[in-house]
Amino acid sequence: MINDEYFLAALRLASGNDPIPSQVSAAARDAWRLRIPQAVTAAHEAATIRSVRADDSSHLVRFVAAGLTFDLEVTEGDGLIDVAGHISPHPGEGALVDVRSPHLTLTRRIAHTGHFVATGLPPGWLSVVCHRPGHAPIQTTWVRIRP
């Protein structure tokens, strides 16, 4: 059974009498700016989140899409995040990777071995995008890294 207050609030929203709070609109605009049109999104393999060091300061996360595997070792220290990544197979000559947080993007070249590193990112949400000449970008889903 629907609560009367809930029902009345739903009617107010439907009629347009309850404005959207400004901070909600601002957050929605910020999130919209982070999208990458026509990008393929790599699925997160939940079983791969695991600590890779005895002190639990480093975690390995794996994403897979379009024939590429992203392995990210995320290390937390001094209030910042460092990412050591590997994309396999190598995405091709001229490929670049963006390591993104909502407020900072670090662009890196991918070594011939498929490795890249980005340091000094703020804790919180993180995504990686691989740009390959002649192909749609491949982005990881956003993952939250907490100190």
Side-chain angles (χ1 to χ4, degrees), residues 24-43:
V24 172
S25 294
R29 282 190 300 278
D30 289 345
W32 180 256
R33 283 196 236 13
L34 292 172
R35 80 193 192 311
I36 299 175
Q38 301 173 349
V40 174
T41 301

Side-chain angles (χ1 to χ4, degrees), residues 71-77 80-86 96-101 104-111 114-123 126-129 145:
D71 286 317
L72 308 177
E73 182 181 352
V74 181
T75 306
E76 308 157 28
L80 297 173
I81 297 170
D82 297 333
V83 177
H86 181 251
L96 297 173
V97 68
D98 290 336
V99 181
R100 308 183 307 154
S101 76
L104 176 68
T105 298
L106 300 176
T107 301
R108 300 291 187 254
R109 293 192 184 282
I110 302 170
H115 291 92
F116 63 91
V117 175
T119 60
L121 291 150
L126 174 76
S127 175
V128 175
V129 181
I145 307 300

